[in-house]
Amino acid sequence: MADFIKRTGLEIGPKLASLRGRLVMVGFGSIGQGVLPLLLRHITIDPRRITIFTADEWGRQFAQQSGVADFRRQPLTAANYRGLLGPLLCAGDFLLNLSVDVSSVALIELCLEVGARYLDSCIEPWAGGYVDASRAPAERTNYWLREQTLAIDRRYPRKRSTAVVTHGVNPGLISHFTKRALLNMALDCGAQVTVPATREQWARLARELQIKAIHVAERDSQVSAAPKRPGEFVNTWSVEAFASEGSQPAELGWGTHERAVPACGQAHADGCRAAIYLEQPGVAVRVRSWTPLAGPYHGFLITHAESISIADFLTVFDGPTPIYRPTVHYAYHPCDDAVLSIDEFCGNHYRLQDGRRLLRDDVTEGMDELGVLLCGNPRGVYWFGSRLDIVAARELAPCNNATTLQTAAGVLAGVIWAIENDERGVVEPEAMDFERVLQLALPYLGNVAGVWGDWTPLQGRQRLFAETVDRDDPWQFSNVLVH
């Protein structure tokens, strides 16, 4: 371990928590490898008490150099997960799920049964669940997966442990960015506010600030010296996970100010009913958005858990009737090579390319500008988030690019929070202490800033063609959607 630290610059930094039990990691791709050095840096744990389950050999040498000897190339399935994980988990242990194609619901139930802590960065179904044509589109949405996950908590009234769900950067830190942005906006507008203590108070604050839409606005500008080749999917984080979530129906939290559901939009019959889905995959839907450095851009409406949970969290009710809720959705512009990869992927009937390349060590320049864009206040839009470039990312931690380190920061903060807050049951980011989580993550997020802007989705329209737009309310989703 000492030689590894010397070679990579990994410091035995300030210990922020202690885990006396076993840590079991499921999945060891770009995020798993990115977060392991941070866990060892900030959590007191014996690497010999870490077990890794993964579907391939990638990362074995790095894990062994980090002191992790128990590296198992063994994909988890519905048939084998209990037999493999059951003997390793008991009260006080931690299951960190950073995998694809492994049911989050199944792993959470196992952890709650035995009293082990749990965290994932995305709610996943078993392999094929996102694209199973035998299931209704509504049952392939993140809305449906979220409802199944929240139902677990009701089945386990005795809270033996804490299971933090959807806590990377987005979903995850973006929910904490939203709270910080609401407070910053209120202060900038001259309001006298105290930090809300309840969900209802946060929702009323958003309503008072006249927030109609919230974009998870991300522009990844990282590039490699080697351009994308035909038949290759290139990305700055998991290729398989991106293709999977991009193949799901596009989803968005649906605001009470919206006048018309899109022609392909569908509401849900059960659950919180805070969101709708489109009968199109997310990689086939574009939306307009803005970040301070990139300016206006077109992003993909990829389904993400935060689009639903933030919208649900910020709903104001009059009895059972919602009278205020913002529209919330992801507006993702991945790195340029990933955009080309998506175009090829869609053109080939959503069949994933045989060639797959993760941009990490070969990134030559660029950054990931990721934040929350609050829209509707009379003063303008307000963006708050992280701007992390590749140079800073490499200085902060080994085995990361800007995108993976932002996510790893969210995972690290969530793991520490779960250790500090045991026996809470199933917990979404909105129910966590946002100030504590941001305090833990900030050292790895680069330049964290809040910026006002005058952008609206109507800017620049009708320059070349006459378009049908709703000029009475720029924040109608029909203006944001790229037709």
Side-chain angles (χ1 to χ4, degrees):
M1 186 64 177
D3 290 341
F4 170 69
I5 293 168
K6 184 176 180 180
R7 289 196 305 274
T8 62
L10 173 62
E11 298 176 357
I12 303 299
K15 297 298 183 182
L16 303 172
S18 177
L19 183 63
R20 294 185 175 86
R22 180 181 295 277
L23 172 64
V24 178
M25 297 181 67
V26 179
F28 200 60
S30 59
I31 306 305
Q33 293 177 44
V35 77
L36 179 61
L38 306 190
L39 297 174
L40 294 174
R41 181 182 294 175
H42 295 296
I43 298 176
T44 300
I45 182 172
D46 185 346
R48 294 170 296 181
R49 294 187 60 78
I50 298 176
T51 298
I52 296 173
F53 285 94
T54 184
D56 54 49
E57 286 292 310
W58 188 46
R60 178 185 288 275
Q61 183 178 3
F62 178 68
Q64 292 174 341
Q65 291 174 335
S66 303
V68 179
D70 194 1
F71 184 99
R72 307 187 189 186
R73 182 180 178 179
Q74 176 64 70
L76 299 187
T77 68
N80 70 13
Y81 80 98
R82 281 186 173 268
L84 292 170
L85 296 178
L88 296 175
L89 293 172
C90 62
D93 293 335
F94 204 117
L95 176 58
L96 178 55
N97 179 16
L98 301 174
S99 66
V100 295
D101 294 338
V102 176
S103 168
S104 300
V105 168
L107 300 194
I108 293 168
E109 287 183 323
L110 175 60
C111 286
L112 294 182
E113 287 172 14
V114 302
R117 301 177 183 94
Y118 172 92
L119 182 139
D120 63 38
S121 60
C122 174
I123 301 174
E124 285 273 328
W126 291 115
Y130 287 143
V131 293
D132 185 353
S134 68
R135 304 176 70 176
E139 293 183 358
R140 294 188 281 111
T141 62
N142 274 324
Y143 180 98
W144 187 86
L145 289 168
R146 176 178 184 253
E147 291 292 333
Q148 304 308 304
T149 303
L150 295 180
I152 300 173
D153 204 51
R154 296 189 289 271
R155 295 199 298 271
Y156 290 86
R158 181 189 173 199
K159 311 306 182 187
R160 297 185 60 196
S161 62
T162 295
V164 176
V165 296
T166 65
H167 205 280
V169 61
N170 65 309
L173 293 182
I174 203 73
S175 296
H176 309 303
F177 288 173
T178 300
K179 290 181 178 179
R180 183 73 266 165
L182 288 169
L183 290 174
N184 288 357
M185 175 180 275
L187 292 171
D188 288 352
C189 291
Q192 299 295 319
V193 295
T194 57
V195 178
T198 66
R199 186 203 67 77
E200 291 77 14
Q201 290 173 357
W202 281 109
R204 287 199 296 270
L205 176 58
R207 185 188 188 192
E208 291 165 3
L209 291 170
Q210 304 179 55
I211 305 303
K212 291 187 174 182
I214 298 177
H215 296 187
V216 180
E218 179 176 8
R219 177 60 167 99
D220 183 348
S221 62
Q222 294 170 98
V223 297
S224 164
K228 173 196 158 359
R229 299 184 296 273
E232 180 184 47
F233 198 119
V234 176
N235 197 24
T236 54
W237 58 284
S238 172
V239 168
E240 292 78 11
F242 187 19
S244 292
E245 71 176 18
S247 299
Q248 286 180 267
E251 296 181 78
L252 62 160
W254 193 242
T256 50
H257 71 287
E258 299 287 0
R259 295 169 181 158
V261 175
C264 60
Q266 297 292 335
H268 292 276
D270 302 305
C272 69
R273 302 186 184 183
I276 65 171
Y277 67 93
L278 308 184
E279 292 181 320
Q280 291 179 276
V283 289
V285 181
R286 296 283 195 111
V287 287
R288 297 174 173 87
S289 194
W290 178 88
T291 65
L293 297 180
Y297 70 93
H298 285 181
F300 294 99
L301 183 59
I302 304 295
T303 176
H304 259 209
E306 75 271 15
S307 300
I308 305 156
S309 61
I310 293 174
D312 189 13
F313 185 73
L314 294 180
T315 301
V316 176
F317 290 92
D318 182 2
T321 304
I323 58 174
Y324 167 79
R325 178 190 299 126
T327 292
V328 185
H329 61 81
Y330 196 12
Y332 182 34
H333 192 304
C335 72
D336 291 346
D337 275 346
V339 174
L340 294 175
S341 301
I342 291 168
D343 183 65
E344 187 177 54
F345 171 65
C346 294
N348 196 29
H349 306 293
Y350 306 101
R351 183 179 303 162
L352 189 57
Q353 294 92 318
D354 291 332
R356 301 163 197 184
R357 178 158 53 102
L358 178 75
L359 299 185
R360 189 179 71 185
D361 300 335
D362 55 342
V363 174
T364 57
E365 59 181 297
M367 70 162 52
D368 204 321
E369 186 182 22
L370 167 61
V372 58
L373 184 70
L374 306 186
C375 311
N377 185 277
R379 178 171 170 175
V381 294
Y382 183 77
W383 183 95
F384 181 87
S386 163
R387 300 188 290 206
L388 179 63
D389 65 46
I390 186 60
V391 174
R394 285 176 174 152
E395 290 176 348
L396 289 167
C399 287
N400 276 286
N401 60 31
T403 305
T404 61
L405 186 55
Q406 287 171 326
T407 304
V411 172
L412 171 71
V415 168
I416 294 173
W417 187 91
I419 293 172
E420 294 174 342
N421 295 268
D422 203 9
E423 300 183 355
R424 295 282 296 271
V426 177
V427 180
E428 291 187 294
E430 289 76 17
M432 300 164 69
D433 177 357
F434 82 100
E435 292 177 304
R436 175 56 175 162
V437 173
L438 289 180
Q439 178 189 45
L440 294 166
L442 279 174
Y444 295 103
L445 297 178
N447 176 24
V448 174
V451 181
W452 287 89
D454 61 1
W455 175 82
T456 80
L458 299 181
Q459 286 181 352
R461 309 285 281 274
Q462 297 186 339
R463 286 185 177 179
L464 298 176
F465 304 99
E467 292 184 271
T468 300
V469 296
D470 190 334
R471 295 197 176 275
D472 292 336
D473 181 6
W475 304 113
Q476 289 294 305
F477 181 68
S478 59
N479 290 332
V480 175
L481 184 64
V482 178
H483 297 280

